[in-house]
């Protein structure tokens, strides 16, 4: 290579390096300017004006349908089942005869008591007649001594007491004999039958293990539920509820709260409530599980904010208020939630305050809010 060619090559290489260096410097400066522009371009923070409102919510809890009345029918007298007049599923009326039993010893006891009654009745009639005769004779002075008259009167009273005791014994045996008939205490349906004709039943022994019948009223049901303590103040005896059951898809039923226990369960810390349900069409059955929806209207106005504006940190629950262009953390307590809204209490909030719509711990207390 000649000397002139070498000089030209060196000059070209130098020019290329200079151009590359200038381009790199320009790119670096442009990147810094862009980064600075991004860093200074703070997006605006959405806010809203705080107002008071009424927040109505609903409480969804499970419940159970039970018979309005349910009873297990046992035999009070040791006896044998003579005849059964109903079976499982039978619809019965109040006072209807369900079964009869037999106990021959009761008949013998009744016959003996009647004989005693006749004997004591005769003794009383004799002592009464004796006393009356002595009383009439004693009206003639000196004929009957007062002591003899008093003894006759005492004998009459004694015989009368024995007669009354015999009558009471007759009533007792008659009442016991009436227990040999099992009758329905109210209208309903026979849900269980545990014995057949000829079985031994009674208040003791194997005859008392199981009831003869189980009777349930189905035309009217009770819907029972346990309400958490936080919601008991919203309920009263006139509150209406809606409920559904899984077996009747698409059907909704209504009821009114009829009874509140007035105390909290020690284990669940909830109040037991009952609702009366008309079941004349027999669609619902005792034992069904119901999904209950109870409306909880607000009792007083409170601050209602978007749910996103409330920040729950490890230290506290707060909302962010814009105060003189800066962020201010205001500690609050949460109330009920519904439809993306939340009740808040506490702090020094007042109507007209400007709060951040979407709160976050990244918006530090005292930072500038655009």
């Amino acid at each position: 290579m000649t000397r002139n060619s070498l000089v030209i090559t060196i000059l070209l290489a130098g020019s290329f390096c200079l151009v590359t260096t200038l381009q790199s410097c320009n790119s670096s400066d442009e990147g810094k300017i862009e980064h600075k522009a991004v860093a200074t371009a703070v997006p605006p923070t959405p806010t809203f004006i705080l107002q008071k409102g009424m927040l109505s919510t609903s409480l969804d809890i499970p419940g159970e349908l039970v018979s309005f009345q349910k009873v297990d029918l046992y035999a009070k007298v040791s006896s044998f089942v003579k005849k059964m007049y109903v079976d499982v599923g039978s619809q019965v009326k109040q006072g209807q005869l369900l079964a009869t039993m037999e106990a021959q010893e009761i008949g013998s006891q009744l016959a003996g008591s009647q004989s005693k009654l006749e004997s004591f009745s005769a003794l009383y009639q004799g002592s009464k007649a004796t006393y009356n005769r002595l009383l009439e004779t004693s009206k003639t002075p000196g004929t009957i001594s007062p002591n003899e008259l008093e003894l006759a009167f005492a004998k009459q009273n004694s015989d009368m007491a024995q007669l009354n005791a015999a009558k009471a014994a007759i009533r007792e045996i008659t009442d016991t004999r009436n227990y040999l008939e099992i009758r329905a205490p109210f209208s309903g349906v026979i849900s269980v039958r545990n014995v057949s004709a000829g079985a031994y039943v009674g208040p003791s022994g194997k005859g008392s293990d199981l009831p003869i019948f189980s009777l349930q009223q189905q035309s009217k049901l009770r819907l029972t539920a346990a309400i958490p303590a936080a919601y008991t103040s919203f309920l009263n005896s006139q509150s209406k509820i809606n409920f559904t059951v899984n077996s009747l898809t698409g059907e909704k039923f209504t009821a009114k709260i009829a009874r509140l226990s007035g105390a909290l369960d020690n284990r669940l810390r909830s109040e037991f409530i009952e609702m009366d349900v008309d079941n004349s069409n027999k669609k619902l059955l005792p034992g069904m599980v119901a999904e209950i929806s109870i409306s909880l209207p607000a009792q007083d106005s409170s601050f209602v904010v978007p749910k996103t504006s409330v920040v729950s940190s490890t230290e506290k629950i707060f909302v962010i208020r814009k105060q003189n262009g800066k962020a201010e953390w205001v500690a609050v307590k949460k109330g009920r939630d519904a439809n993306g809204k939340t009740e808040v209490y506490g702090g020094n909030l007042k109507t007209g305050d400007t709060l951040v719509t979407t709160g976050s711990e990244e918006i530090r207390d005292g930072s500038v809010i655009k």
Side-chain angles (χ1 to χ4, degrees):
M1 178 182 294
T2 61
R3 184 177 180 181
N4 291 334
S5 299
L6 180 61
V7 172
I8 292 171
T9 301
I10 292 172
L11 290 175
L12 290 174
S15 300
F16 178 77
C17 291
L18 180 60
V19 172
T20 303
T21 302
L22 291 175
Q23 289 179 347
S24 299
C25 292
N26 290 337
S27 299
S28 176
D29 292 341
E30 288 175 2
K32 289 180 180 178
I33 293 171
E34 266 184 34
H35 180 70
K36 186 175 180 181
V38 170
T40 56
V42 179
T45 303
T47 59
F48 66 96
I49 303 300
L50 182 62
Q51 299 289 340
K52 282 193 172 185
M54 304 282 283
L55 186 63
S56 296
T57 60
S58 62
L59 175 65
D60 297 327
I61 57 173
E64 183 182 9
L65 288 165
V66 297
S67 301
F68 191 79
Q69 295 184 89
K70 179 182 178 181
V71 65
D72 293 330
L73 301 175
Y74 291 84
K76 187 176 181 180
V77 180
S78 297
S79 56
F80 293 91
V81 177
K82 183 178 181 180
K83 189 173 182 180
M84 309 284 286
Y85 297 95
V86 294
D87 210 328
V88 174
S90 298
Q91 297 284 340
V92 300
K93 300 293 184 180
Q94 183 177 3
Q96 181 178 334
L97 182 63
L98 307 180
T100 56
M101 277 79 69
E102 58 181 354
Q104 295 180 355
E105 61 272 19
I106 294 180
S108 300
Q109 293 173 4
L110 182 60
S113 297
Q114 287 174 342
S115 298
K116 288 183 179 180
L117 176 64
E118 293 174 359
S119 174
F120 288 131
S121 177
L123 289 174
Y124 171 70
Q125 293 298 330
S127 61
K128 181 181 179 182
T130 300
Y131 171 72
N132 289 335
R133 285 194 300 268
L134 291 176
L135 181 62
E136 288 297 325
T137 305
S138 66
K139 293 179 181 179
T140 302
T143 56
I144 301 297
S145 67
N147 183 54
E148 187 178 357
L149 186 62
E150 289 177 358
L151 290 175
F153 181 70
K155 180 67 168 62
Q156 173 189 290
N157 290 340
S158 175
D159 291 343
M160 184 175 64
Q162 289 181 332
L163 177 61
N164 290 335
K167 290 179 179 179
I170 290 287
R171 287 195 297 269
E172 180 182 0
I173 296 174
T174 303
D175 292 339
T176 302
R177 186 178 60 179
N178 293 335
Y179 289 129
L180 295 177
E181 294 182 346
I182 302 296
R183 295 184 178 273
F186 52 83
S187 300
V189 62
I190 301 296
S191 59
V192 175
R193 192 203 75 175
N194 291 312
V195 299
S196 299
Y200 168 76
V201 292
S204 61
K206 288 190 66 81
S208 62
D209 291 346
L210 296 172
I212 299 176
F213 298 109
S214 287
L215 177 64
Q216 298 189 39
Q217 181 180 1
Q218 291 188 343
S219 59
K220 189 177 181 181
L221 302 178
R222 297 176 190 261
L223 178 58
T224 62
I227 304 298
Y231 303 99
T232 55
S233 61
F234 297 94
L235 302 179
N236 55 61
S237 58
Q238 300 300 319
S239 299
K240 291 186 177 180
I241 63 100
N242 298 316
F243 69 94
T244 59
V245 293
N246 293 333
S247 59
L248 299 173
T249 307
E251 290 197 48
K252 289 186 178 181
F253 304 89
T254 60
K256 184 184 293 185
I257 295 178
R259 288 164 292 276
L260 294 92
S261 65
L264 297 182
D265 180 81
N266 292 331
R267 183 170 57 89
L268 300 176
R269 298 300 173 187
S270 57
E271 184 176 11
F272 186 76
I273 65 171
E274 286 187 353
M275 291 138 282
D276 295 342
V277 180
D278 181 26
N279 191 38
S280 302
N281 53 14
K282 304 295 192 302
K283 280 189 175 182
L284 302 172
L285 295 177
M288 283 184 170
V289 176
E291 294 294 331
I292 303 174
S293 179
I294 303 177
S295 178
L296 303 175
Q299 297 176 339
D300 192 11
S301 60
S302 58
F303 289 120
V304 179
V305 300
K307 194 173 182 179
T308 56
S309 67
V310 182
V311 184
S312 299
S313 68
T314 55
E315 298 178 359
K316 59 183 178 180
I317 299 175
F318 63 92
V319 294
I320 302 175
R321 176 169 57 189
K322 181 181 178 182
Q323 190 75 14
N324 298 325
K326 294 185 178 181
E328 179 187 1
W329 288 10
V330 180
V332 295
K333 292 182 180 180
K334 289 178 64 177
R336 295 178 296 166
D337 297 333
N339 302 322
K341 302 289 186 178
T342 301
E343 291 178 332
V344 292
Y345 306 93
N348 57 350
L349 295 176
K350 58 184 181 294
T351 303
D353 284 347
T354 302
L355 302 184
V356 174
T357 304
T358 304
S360 172
E361 291 184 272
E362 295 180 359
I363 305 176
R364 305 305 301 173
D365 192 11
S367 62
V368 176
I369 294 180
K370 184 177 179 181

